[in-house]
Amino acid sequence: MELSIAVTSYVARSDLTVETAAKLRHRLNCWNRHSQQTTTDITPADFDAFRVLAKAAGLSARTIEETVNDLALICGLKEMGRRLKRWKTSATKFVPSLDLISAAYENADAAEWPNCHLTRSPALRVVSSAVWLRAFMVFAFHTGFRLRDLRTITWSSITPDLIDWQASKTSKRHRIPNCAIVERHLEPLRSAGSDRVFPISASQERLLRRELSRLAGDAEAFGPQPLRRAAVTQWAIGGGWSAGEMIQGSGLSGVMSRYVDGLAVLVAALPRRPWPSAMLTADERNARFSREHSLAELAQRLPLDRLDDLLKVGRAFAG
């Protein structure tokens, strides 16, 4: 099959967004400029020849390998020849701790944006900057949404029990259980009169990133994307890797989408998922402390040979 036909078929079959489809067509054009192979009968030798010509033309290793990966996916190939030197991936990026998120949350009282002279939208002036940013942090930490989805999600997609939204980048449907902590923080924003929960424009994304970094005191370690990394990590801790994959969006493909009820997995993971202490009410923090104190007291009273039994019971309940 001709590669151009294969790419068109893949885009239509996968129901991709306009941006992702354009990216795949760009990869195809890149391949066509630096390879003589125009059909899907690509061999590892063809990939290696493309690497040599593309590298000689000045393309970066990232661009070359992303082109190879995309074409291999479209053509259903597993053998891709010898890769160029690997680049640093997002897996090496810093994941903010719960303590850092708590610090940024508490520092929101010193926030100057979005309720300031730089804001044109009346919808952002309904509540204080601290209330708005804390609601944003809580929702981002809970859902793990990308920034584009955070600023475009609508109130109609949120009920007291469920957050239901189709990702703008992947067109994947995300169904995430809602909870009292999220609802408590969103409630003040409902009077803004906008159909969007966080009605900021694309041009204001830079201001949002700058303010969150300032509150955390670290420009590299905090912002919408680090909050997404933290969300995926904490869901994985609370409910196993499957929960983390579902939040990220990669776990709802293939067998997962046909046999696993993603919402059920996330609902089961919700009680075990940690929250930054600053986002909890005093009663919720006291309840956590009381449980921790009771467990510590029980552990001190048990004979040493019974502590292993206590650990086994605890691990069983934790899943």
Side-chain angles (χ1 to χ4, degrees):
M1 180 187 295
E2 289 292 321
L3 271 174
S4 58
I5 298 176
V7 170
T8 301
S9 175
Y10 181 83
V11 169
R13 185 175 67 251
S14 304
D15 192 26
L16 302 176
T17 61
V18 174
E19 293 85 352
T20 304
K23 183 196 72 173
L24 291 179
R25 294 190 181 95
H26 173 73
R27 303 289 187 225
L28 175 62
N29 291 335
C30 180
W31 174 268
N32 289 337
R33 286 195 301 270
H34 305 288
S35 174
Q36 301 299 317
Q37 177 58 273
T38 60
T39 71
T40 55
D41 299 323
I42 302 174
T43 66
D46 293 323
F47 282 131
D48 287 337
F50 166 77
R51 289 184 174 99
V52 172
L53 293 175
K55 189 174 181 180
L59 272 66
S60 68
R62 176 184 291 274
T63 298
I64 294 171
E65 292 304 329
E66 285 180 346
T67 300
V68 170
N69 287 343
D70 286 343
L71 287 180
L73 175 65
I74 291 169
C75 299
L77 304 174
K78 294 182 179 180
E79 295 296 327
M80 292 178 278
R82 186 174 181 178
R83 290 183 177 275
L84 299 174
K85 184 178 180 180
R86 285 188 174 272
W87 59 85
K88 289 184 178 180
T89 65
S90 58
T92 65
K93 291 182 179 179
F94 178 75
V95 177
S97 66
L98 297 184
D99 288 340
L100 179 61
I101 299 174
S102 280
Y105 180 96
E106 291 176 330
N107 290 341
D109 287 329
E112 300 172 358
W113 188 90
N115 195 348
C116 67
H117 67 282
L118 296 175
T119 300
R120 295 186 179 91
S121 172
L124 299 178
R125 294 177 177 269
V126 172
V127 296
S128 68
S129 295
V131 170
W132 195 95
L133 285 168
R134 281 172 175 154
F136 181 89
M137 283 188 273
V138 167
F139 193 79
F141 177 74
H142 182 64
T143 62
F145 282 177
R146 296 177 178 86
L147 179 52
R148 181 186 299 182
D149 295 316
L150 290 171
R151 67 179 183 81
T152 56
I153 188 170
T154 58
W155 289 109
S156 60
S157 301
I158 302 174
T159 69
D161 301 317
L162 182 66
I163 300 168
D164 193 338
W165 183 249
Q166 184 174 337
S168 57
K169 180 178 180 179
T170 63
S171 294
K172 294 288 185 182
R173 185 185 181 194
H174 291 266
R175 302 178 74 241
I176 301 171
N178 202 352
C179 68
I181 297 174
V182 173
E183 279 292 288
R184 181 172 71 243
H185 283 82
L186 291 184
E187 186 58 34
L189 275 60
R190 292 184 182 274
S191 59
S194 172
D195 60 335
R196 290 189 292 153
V197 182
F198 304 104
I200 62 173
S201 64
S203 62
Q204 292 174 318
E205 290 182 1
R206 176 181 57 85
L207 297 173
L208 173 62
R209 291 190 181 96
R210 186 180 68 182
E211 190 71 347
L212 290 176
S213 298
R214 190 177 68 83
L215 295 178
D218 193 331
E220 298 297 326
F222 200 67
Q225 190 183 66
L227 273 172
R228 172 171 162 79
R229 293 183 221 132
V232 173
T233 299
Q234 295 303 328
W235 274 108
I237 291 173
W241 188 245
S242 59
E245 282 189 317
M246 287 170 192
I247 291 297
Q248 188 180 16
S250 62
L252 294 177
S253 60
V255 173
M256 290 288 284
S257 64
R258 292 194 295 271
Y259 298 110
V260 175
D261 181 352
L263 182 60
V265 172
L266 296 180
V267 167
L270 188 59
R272 299 189 296 272
R273 182 176 179 271
W275 282 90
S277 59
M279 294 181 178
L280 305 178
T281 64
D283 289 342
E284 289 166 337
R285 284 195 294 271
N286 290 337
R288 175 190 284 179
F289 175 79
S290 177
R291 295 187 190 98
E292 292 173 349
H293 181 75
S294 297
L295 285 172
E297 187 180 54
L298 178 61
Q300 291 176 352
R301 291 165 50 194
L302 285 175
L304 290 177
D305 59 347
R306 300 301 302 276
L307 285 176
D308 288 340
D309 294 333
L310 178 62
L311 286 173
K312 290 176 183 178
V313 172
R315 290 194 183 102
F317 274 104

